[in-house]
Amino acid sequence: MIKKFKFGTPFETDAVVKSIPLESSSLPYFETDTTEGLKFTLPLSKEDAVYGLGESVRGINKRGYIYRSFCSDDPNQTEGTHSLYGAHNFIVISTKDKTFGVFFDCPSTVTFDIAFTYYDKLVISSDNTNMYVYIIDGDSIYDIIREFRIAIGMSYIPPMWAFGYTQSRWSYADRDSVRNVVKGYRDLDIPLDAVYLDIDYMERYKDFTVDEKAFGDLKVFADEMKAENIRLVPIIDAGVKIEEGYDVYEEGIKNNYFCTDKDGKPFEACVWPGMTHFPDFLNPEARLWFGEKYKILTDMGIEGFWNDMNEPAIFYSQKSVDNALKLIKEYAKEDTLTLQGFEDIKNYFGSRQNCDEDYSSIYHNTPQGKYCHKDVHNLFGYNMTRSAAAGLLKADPDKRFLLFSRASYIGMHRYSGIWTGDNFSWWSHILTELKVLPGLNMCGFLYVGADLGGFGYDCSRDLLLRWLSLGIFTPLMRNHAACATRNQECYQFEKPEDFKHIIDLRYRLIPYLYSEYMKAAKNGEMMFKPLAFEYPDDLVAKCTEDQLIVGNEIMIAPVYTQNALGRYVYLPEDMTAVRMQGGELTFTDMKKGHHFVEIPENEVVFFIRSDKAIPLCNPAKCVEELDLNTLELIGNGKEYVLYTDDGFAKDYDNPENLKTLKKQ
Ligand code: MIG
């Protein structure tokens, strides 16, 4: 049961697609305070848990911290961070006597103070007095989530090749660099399905252009790669370079498709291309226009994209530069810079990222009137990606494209996946990724993954092995690294066969992962489930935040500490441990309870639940070459319901896609 409550005059975000009548009664459960902005308070007793918030730091149970939903360009995914790239205002509150969900549909900052300021209170507040609040009741956490997911619409479904292993780096500078990556993998027989093109494939960072000196005719090169079953996946940035003669810039100016400043002049800020304007993705006409540009690249044979810098990220605005110069001139009147002057200048430059002053100077021309960016900030990346999805749908209505975005809001899950943005080559970030997965799924984001191996800093061989051992279970499986970091492709490390065995296992699991993904998408379920949801009456399971149920049949318990020879694993029921060792699988039945499981860094162990079975295929060098007709069932169960389709067409509801596989 989902109920809709209205405060003020909310901006229509289109997060919810189901039509739900407005309630006239007051908001249940919470104490509502409207004296200053909006504030909703709920008492929490000690054992109550709060789940959700999609892309956010810290635990699966979000208790004990302040989170701020404000799409931010911030790679510091640490315990001290309050906001990440996505803004996902859905939580489930689980108390002794009742469990319910609540979604705050508000496009500007919402603060979730979850038993932080007051140990026994949940306080949700916003300066914005205009929002819809949805209350979702149900018999179980899963019922509540399903109800919410029906209201926000079905999750995006990628093409099947996007379940393959993919390689990225900022940047592969030219054709030969990409060819070398493919050769590196193919020579060692390590599977690979795609290579990403980061910003340097463009001509001077101009969207929808290609640096032909480095990449030649991209269509020819995309065909060459396609012949090897490799897809090229270019990046698209939100900012459009200001350059006379550049058609995207000129069309945008001519038709008033860019965001403006207060006076209606296009807002100017510096990002990778230098000075840019931002397409006004909240203006439906501008959205349509920008989205249609993706066809320039699909016409060259491109079948996937990643949308970046769409919080939007701003290095500095024109106004900031003007202010900075003023500040410096002011201090330059003195002969020497005082400490205060030094600090002022440093702080001014240091505070340009995710900067309130800039976001307060941007305006959108929306069907609901002129809006200051600050009030609709969290909708920008969502609508950039919605624009891309609409363009791709128009370019080829019957085809699935790979699409994922950095910034997001609930609603965007219908159009694309997300990657969790910049992270670091830190051991703690393996666990960070594991913990973020259930929350993302709750909010409808199913096609998800983190930069495997870590984006910033240098990655060690053991870190990559361990991270891949989690990454083989995430739908988006991409190894990505920042410029000036150590090479991170698997073939760059010693004993590459260790990497091959792990990635081979991923390909063997694709029939299972794809089936579970499709079931989750079609039925509003989660693919990554906390043990707390699956075993609500088991105290230990409730507290276990470093293991997950993946789909309905398996449990994972990855190693996330360096030099560990194994780890403690809690089995909430009897399970079969599946061990991949040197590419071979062995099976051990294990009893419910605590175990220390030895897991060398080149092995993977996962667990099949009692009376369940999962399908495995043979590995292949790419998804296209997987033989999905020859499947073996493993585990103690007798059957498995497999979902298959051709991996491209959109006939998701064809009953023939579901087959019950039975053990011989
Ligand atoms: O300011 O395009 O998160 O994946 O490699 C950095 C370069 C811009 C940020 C993305 C990252 C990408 C990088 N981009």
Side-chain angles (χ1 to χ4, degrees), residues 512 515-516 519 553 613 615 633 639-642 659-661:
Y512 176 67
S515 294
E516 294 304 304
K519 290 176 199 168
E553 279 75 12
L633 280 187
E639 58 180 51
Y640 177 75
V641 180
L642 180 80
K659 285 185 201 96
T660 303
L661 303 177

Side-chain angles (χ1 to χ4, degrees), residues 165-182 185 194-202 214-215 221 232 479-481 487-492:
Y165 171 68
T166 62
Q167 181 65 55
S168 187
R169 180 168 185 87
W170 175 17
S171 295
Y172 297 123
D174 51 25
R175 277 174 299 195
D176 280 344
S177 320
V178 176
R179 287 181 184 125
N180 282 338
V181 172
V182 176
Y185 279 98
V195 177
Y196 293 79
L197 302 180
D198 208 323
I199 47 175
D200 297 290
Y201 80 89
M202 292 181 264
F215 282 90
F221 186 50
L232 297 175
N479 174 341
H480 182 46
N487 290 332
Q488 204 167 292
E489 299 80 13
C490 297
Y491 58 82
Q492 308 272 10

Side-chain angles (χ1 to χ4, degrees), residues 73 85 169-171 198-199 235 237 272 306 308-309 315 406 419 421-422 451 455 478 480-482:
D73 174 14
Y85 300 91
R169 180 168 185 87
W170 175 17
S171 295
D198 208 323
I199 47 175
I235 195 170
D237 277 9
W272 290 110
W306 47 312
D308 190 20
M309 307 298 272
F315 296 161
R406 196 171 71 174
W419 95 100
D422 299 348
D451 288 351
F455 177 73
R478 178 174 82 143
H480 182 46

Side-chain angles (χ1 to χ4, degrees), residues 195-358:
V195 177
Y196 293 79
L197 302 180
D198 208 323
I199 47 175
D200 297 290
Y201 80 89
M202 292 181 264
E203 184 198 305
R204 293 195 299 289
Y205 304 130
K206 291 187 297 185
D207 282 338
F208 311 112
T209 68
V210 175
D211 177 354
E212 293 198 353
K213 254 196 244 124
F215 282 90
D217 180 340
L218 190 65
K219 180 163 183 7
V220 173
F221 186 50
D223 284 348
E224 176 191 323
M225 288 292 115
K226 193 76 175 289
E228 300 204 42
N229 274 314
I230 296 289
R231 261 94 180 175
L232 297 175
V233 184
I235 195 170
I236 305 290
D237 277 9
V240 169
K241 184 174 178 60
I242 299 176
E243 187 181 283
E244 297 297 323
Y246 169 36
D247 51 356
V248 183
Y249 162 73
E250 298 211 329
E251 289 167 26
I253 290 289
K254 191 170 127 227
N255 299 303
N256 297 320
Y257 287 157
F258 293 126
C259 297
T260 65
D261 61 15
K262 202 162 82 267
D263 307 322
K265 286 207 290 300
F267 175 82
E268 237 179 275
C270 184
V271 208
W272 290 110
M275 280 301 172
T276 61
H277 294 320
F278 294 108
D280 187 354
F281 293 114
L282 297 188
N283 168 353
E285 264 179 59
R287 198 156 68 216
L288 196 73
W289 161 74
F290 191 84
E292 284 177 353
K293 296 289 173 204
Y294 285 74
K295 188 166 186 298
I296 296 172
L297 291 158
T298 59
D299 282 347
M300 297 180 185
I302 297 300
E303 297 174 58
F305 297 89
W306 47 312
N307 284 343
D308 190 20
M309 307 298 272
N310 52 4
E311 292 71 32
I314 290 175
F315 296 161
Y316 55 82
S317 63
Q318 188 56 54
K319 201 163 134 191
S320 291
V321 183
D322 299 344
N323 289 342
L325 284 177
K326 255 189 242 154
L327 197 71
I328 291 168
K329 273 184 198 150
E330 197 61 31
Y331 285 113
K333 281 184 197 148
E334 319 284 327
D335 279 348
T336 55
L337 196 59
T338 59
L339 177 59
Q340 191 56 50
F342 173 78
E343 287 293 329
D344 287 353
I345 292 172
K346 192 180 83 180
N347 289 342
Y348 186 80
F349 284 106
S351 64
R352 291 302 89 196
Q353 210 144 350
N354 306 307
C355 160
D356 197 59
E357 194 185 321
D358 284 343

Side-chain angles (χ1 to χ4, degrees), residues 53 56-58 62 65-68 82 110-112 114:
L53 287 186
S56 51
V57 298
R58 298 213 177 199
K62 309 308 295 181
Y65 196 52
I66 295 192
Y67 307 85
R68 230 165 260 137
H82 296 284
V110 178
T111 301
F112 294 80
I114 308 184

